[in-house]
Amino acid sequence: MAVALLVTMGLLGIAGIVMWILAIRLSYRIEQQRDGDKPRPGLVMTNMFRSAFYAPPDDKADPRLRRQAQVYIYAALGCMIVMAASSFALPVIATQKATAATQPAAPPPDPTGTTLAYIRSNQDSTLPEFIYMHVVSPTEIHVVKMVKPCTDAAYVTAVFDSATREATRLIGGRLNRDGGQTPQAWLTFLPETRRLDVRFNGPDGKIAEAYDAPPAPWRMYDFDLAEFALFGPHEPKDFSFGFAMAWPEDAAPTLRILGRVYAKFLYSSDKATRNHFRFSGPAFTDPVAGDRGGELITDAKLGHVIEARFGRPNHPTYANFMLKLIAVTPAPEGETVWRKALTDHWANCPAEKPSR
């Protein structure tokens, strides 16, 4: 705003000077017509106001020149007046900018109680899976992953540190018939040493796997970007984080450390309600396929994912990754939607066969 105003004032100044010079030239011509061949002291000594606005009884000057000189004078004075008035706005704009800079940004809305429903699949829509994310509190989120009713469904919970926005504990398990979680694996983050410990025999059991955590703030790729429902981003600018991923396949280690992700802000759309980012970096670099990143679209206000398309899959059997938002249900209805999704999955299903 201030730059545009300064440019406008500069253009007005140039226009005013041009009008002033043209008025002086006309004034000289008018005086020549009035005085004939009488010697004159020079162009700069011309009284353009007298030439333009005073006409003696026997005036020999062309009246059209007088009117034209009046127009030039009025235009020059108008430019000067507008410039002077505009100069008073500059301190006001500077004050407004300084005030805006010192005021803290409004905190994002509290997502507690919100339930988000997604479909995750390959980018050709094959292998679709329903993903429900429920924000339990500003530092806890639960996620269930369902292919179809009455079949095995994953249930993962995560607790985060409010200051670092990093998960301190993740529990992976299955959705049981009571609508709760049957835990199977525990992942603990130790911020002092930035170590990730994996256990399969209880939260205090023997450590089965241990890793150096990816760059801060670290995230779990197979958590289906649920962290965005808590922590955004809430600003249209670049950011980065680290990715780890659980990959339960064959006898290989459960956890993979993928590395850093660079999220480059591209543009905003839909009247600045959506922000578009490009994901790249070591976490999406394949030795054979090369760059397997892609695009992420987030809600500009709430920060959660609207759509994501990446070349790297986050679960076995998938070729790539696509996540599409179906619905957002805020509190208090979000709690109802969440409980219904859990209970409906096993409703009216055949009884479980007793174990032998």
Side-chain angles (χ1 to χ4, degrees):
M1 180 65 179
V3 174
L5 186 58
L6 286 172
V7 171
T8 302
M9 291 175 63
L11 294 175
L12 286 172
I14 293 173
I17 293 173
V18 171
M19 293 296 105
W20 200 263
I21 293 174
L22 291 175
I24 292 175
R25 289 172 58 87
L26 280 180
S27 175
Y28 188 68
R29 290 179 59 189
I30 292 171
E31 293 300 326
Q32 281 184 321
Q33 290 181 359
R34 288 175 178 172
D35 300 337
D37 296 331
K38 180 180 177 180
R40 299 191 55 77
L43 183 64
V44 295
M45 299 301 294
T46 297
N47 188 338
M48 62 180 183
F49 289 98
R50 182 179 183 279
S51 301
F53 297 100
Y54 172 72
D58 56 345
D59 193 7
K60 299 177 183 179
D62 188 344
R64 290 177 299 178
L65 293 180
R66 290 180 55 247
R67 288 194 294 270
Q68 192 172 358
Q70 291 173 7
V71 170
Y72 288 152
I73 291 173
Y74 286 139
L77 292 176
C79 290
M80 294 178 185
I81 292 172
V82 174
M83 285 179 61
S86 300
S87 66
F88 289 103
L90 286 174
V92 176
I93 294 174
T95 302
Q96 289 176 342
K97 284 192 172 182
T99 302
T102 56
Q103 289 181 345
D110 183 359
T112 299
T114 299
T115 295
L116 302 101
Y118 293 89
I119 288 183
R120 188 194 66 223
S121 67
N122 284 314
Q123 293 184 18
D124 61 2
S125 299
T126 56
L127 301 179
E129 189 166 349
F130 289 99
I131 310 293
Y132 288 91
M133 304 176 183
H134 182 63
V135 181
V136 179
S137 75
T139 57
E140 184 175 358
I141 190 166
H142 292 192
V143 175
V144 293
K145 311 175 186 189
M146 308 167 172
V147 176
K148 60 181 180 179
C150 303
T151 61
D152 189 39
Y155 189 157
V156 184
T157 67
V159 175
F160 296 82
D161 183 290
S162 60
T164 64
R165 298 184 172 186
E166 293 186 293
T168 56
R169 185 182 74 247
L170 284 97
I171 302 175
R174 319 313 295 176
L175 174 64
N176 58 43
R177 291 176 177 251
D178 296 327
Q181 183 195 51
T182 300
Q184 295 175 326
W186 290 259
L187 177 62
T188 305
F189 172 60
L190 306 176
E192 298 81 5
T193 57
R194 294 202 62 78
R195 193 181 73 178
L196 292 171
D197 292 340
V198 180
R199 295 176 173 88
F200 298 107
N201 50 355
D204 301 318
K206 181 181 177 180
I207 297 174
E209 299 174 18
Y211 304 86
D212 291 330
W218 78 278
R219 303 280 184 255
M220 284 291 285
Y221 188 23
D222 55 303
F223 203 38
D224 295 307
L225 310 179
E227 296 95 341
F228 285 73
L230 291 178
F231 306 121
H234 298 105
E235 296 180 12
K237 63 181 183 181
D238 299 353
F239 63 97
S240 69
F241 56 94
F243 251 164
M245 176 173 63
W247 195 265
E249 187 178 50
D250 301 328
T254 302
L255 203 64
R256 296 183 180 185
I257 306 301
L258 304 183
R260 186 175 292 279
V261 179
Y262 296 103
K264 180 178 179 55
F265 173 71
L266 299 177
Y267 58 91
S268 296
S269 64
D270 289 354
K271 299 181 180 179
T273 60
R274 298 183 173 199
N275 289 331
H276 297 244
F277 299 88
R278 167 71 188 178
F279 272 27
S280 61
F284 288 104
T285 301
D286 187 277
V288 178
D291 181 14
R292 302 191 71 181
E295 186 175 351
L296 173 79
I297 306 174
T298 65
D299 185 284
K301 181 180 180 181
L302 303 176
H304 60 253
V305 174
I306 295 176
E307 184 173 339
R309 292 172 180 263
F310 304 139
R312 180 165 199 161
N314 73 341
H315 283 77
T317 72
Y318 282 79
N320 43 51
F321 177 87
M322 182 170 69
L323 187 70
K324 282 190 172 184
L325 181 66
I326 301 173
V328 179
T329 310
E333 292 82 4
E335 179 70 29
T336 303
V337 170
W338 169 252
R339 295 311 314 173
K340 187 175 188 301
L342 300 186
T343 55
D344 284 359
H345 182 74
W346 289 111
N348 303 315
C349 297
E352 188 175 9
K353 294 181 180 179
S355 58
R356 295 182 179 179

